[in-house]
Amino acid sequence: MAEEDGPEEIAAAEDRAARWTLRRATAAALHFEAEYGSAADQGDAEGDPDPATAPVGRDRARAWLEEERAQWLGALRHAQSTGRHRQVVDAAEAMHWFSDATMDWELWAEVFRRAADSARALGSTREVAVQLNYLAWARNMCVFDYVGALAAADTALEAAREAGDELQVGWALGYGAGALQRLGRIGEAVTRLRLSVAQFAGLSCGESRLAELTALNALGQVLRLDGRPEEALAIHRRSETLCRAGIPGRPTAVSNSYLALVSQNVGNDLAALGRWSEAEAPLREVLTLRAANPMSFWSETARLELGVVLRHLGRHEEARETLKAAHEALVRLNHPRQLEAAAELSTLESAASTA
């Protein structure tokens, strides 16, 4: 018995457990791969270490990934420390779309940083670019480290050019622009986004159309922040037309996700132009389209923006309820716009007290 419990046996058992956990996490995360869509929500049963007990469907896959995140993150660390770099990169790649649904998880910055390091260890320059682009996204959206996001995007750009991957060049330009925007370097952000749009427009693969939509949305958003809402609205209306026509080869759920982002931008463009009554409908549409994941970054920022519109329309009680709900959710998500929501509530209360 003592021999069975020796250091080597314990280490071997821990290694087996880590391998099992990371295989299941990878298979579960594939339920969120956008190319599969709701009609083919199968994950990767063959890749699961025990298909008979594998979580079935996105809801169960998400529940398992949420409940076991400390365990599968530990398994990812273990895989890297023991030199299983291919497993690390494959797991991170599988997690890519799932991470979009859980942007309040700070761990994504670690997941993609480790995957980029493992891709380097494998000597795969293209995968280095991919994982660094994911890392730039995570630093922008999950941990709000914009300096770090810019550094990751710039390094991804170098790797993508070295690998000759034109799609990743476009993504790196876009993620770098996002960091520049958040750092207040608006002119540089606009320049990079125009380059990103042009890069994607010149490609013919299916993913490039989604990428082009993403870049167009971001470009319009930056133009609005630069005090050019008319230009922003024109760009977002172009994106809206593309989304409502459907995205070839992609399920409706994917088109709706992009449409929600476009609608949020259209609503904000109209608000920036003082067209408050027109701004209400697109912002409400965001909440409808995001109803499957109501307390997300996107739905709650749209709720905040809707509250502002309602305040300007003079519907103060409805505005108060909307802003309060947005503030409470943004606090739970630790989103930086919680401060904006608090300020809007304060403005509303001050106006009510002096009325």
Side-chain angles (χ1 to χ4, degrees):
M1 196 70 170
E3 184 177 341
E4 291 180 355
D5 292 335
E8 292 183 4
E9 288 74 16
I10 292 173
E14 291 175 345
D15 187 65
R16 286 193 299 273
R19 287 173 182 264
W20 190 99
T21 300
L22 196 55
R23 284 181 62 196
R24 169 150 293 183
T26 301
L30 285 172
H31 282 277
F32 296 83
E33 171 56 56
E35 288 185 354
Y36 292 175
S38 58
D41 183 16
Q42 301 299 320
D44 183 14
E46 292 183 1
D48 192 278
D50 184 11
T53 64
V56 178
R58 289 191 184 194
D59 290 345
R60 291 185 180 180
R62 177 168 183 154
W64 188 91
L65 288 163
E66 289 181 341
E67 291 167 4
E68 303 295 332
R69 60 178 143 171
Q71 285 67 36
W72 62 252
L73 180 60
L76 186 84
R77 293 166 177 162
H78 178 81
Q80 187 174 56
S81 69
T82 53
R84 296 202 309 278
H85 298 297
R86 171 48 54 197
Q87 193 175 9
V88 172
V89 174
D90 289 349
E93 183 62 33
M95 295 283 179
H96 170 223
W97 286 103
F98 175 59
S99 67
D100 263 0
T102 50
M103 282 190 289
D104 54 315
W105 291 12
E106 295 183 1
L107 61 78
W108 295 124
E110 179 183 351
V111 168
F112 297 130
R113 174 182 58 77
R114 287 183 178 277
D117 290 343
S118 285
R120 286 194 189 93
L122 292 169
S124 177
T125 305
R126 179 193 168 277
E127 288 179 304
V128 169
V130 171
Q131 297 301 324
L132 283 173
N133 272 329
Y134 296 163
L135 175 59
W137 169 85
R139 286 177 172 168
N140 267 327
M141 305 304 297
C142 306
V143 296
F144 317 118
D145 173 14
Y146 308 132
V147 172
L150 181 58
D154 285 346
T155 308
L157 183 59
E158 293 175 6
R161 285 173 171 162
E162 181 182 342
D165 191 317
E166 299 301 321
L167 188 68
Q168 294 304 319
V169 167
W171 282 120
L173 288 166
Y175 289 131
L180 287 166
Q181 172 201 333
R182 293 171 177 87
L183 289 168
R185 296 160 62 178
I186 302 298
E188 294 172 80
V190 168
T191 297
R192 286 207 197 191
L193 281 169
R194 291 195 190 280
L195 290 172
S196 180
V197 169
Q199 179 76 16
F200 292 135
L203 302 178
S204 58
C205 62
E207 188 180 347
S208 66
R209 297 288 71 77
L210 293 179
E212 184 180 5
L213 276 172
T214 301
L216 282 169
N217 286 336
L219 175 59
Q221 183 177 349
V222 174
L223 288 171
R224 182 178 66 247
L225 294 173
D226 196 34
R228 296 147 73 179
E230 287 282 6
E231 291 179 62
L233 182 59
I235 287 174
H236 289 139
R237 288 297 192 195
R238 172 182 164 190
S239 297
E240 182 182 24
T241 299
L242 292 172
C243 285
R244 293 195 188 281
I247 302 172
R250 302 292 168 143
T252 302
V254 175
S255 296
N256 284 346
S257 177
Y258 278 79
L259 179 58
L261 181 57
V262 175
S263 295
Q264 187 168 0
N265 276 312
V266 167
N268 286 326
D269 296 339
L270 291 166
L273 290 165
R275 293 159 61 177
W276 302 107
S277 59
E278 295 175 70
E280 181 181 357
L283 290 174
R284 287 196 183 280
E285 184 177 29
V286 178
L287 299 182
T288 300
L289 292 167
R290 300 283 188 189
N293 186 19
M295 201 188 80
S296 69
F297 276 24
W298 303 117
S299 61
E300 298 311 325
T301 56
R303 199 182 311 279
L304 163 60
E305 291 148 7
L306 175 61
V308 174
V309 168
L310 292 171
R311 176 171 66 81
H312 281 276
L313 289 173
R315 289 149 60 183
H316 292 164
E317 189 56 38
E318 189 178 1
R320 182 179 295 105
E321 293 177 3
T322 303
L323 288 169
K324 183 178 179 182
H327 178 253
E328 291 174 353
L330 291 167
V331 168
R332 289 195 295 273
L333 290 166
N334 193 32
H335 194 284
R337 291 190 69 183
Q338 62 184 275
L339 301 177
E340 182 183 343
E344 288 291 341
L345 275 170
S346 178
T347 298
L348 188 63
E349 297 299 338
S350 296
S353 65
T354 57

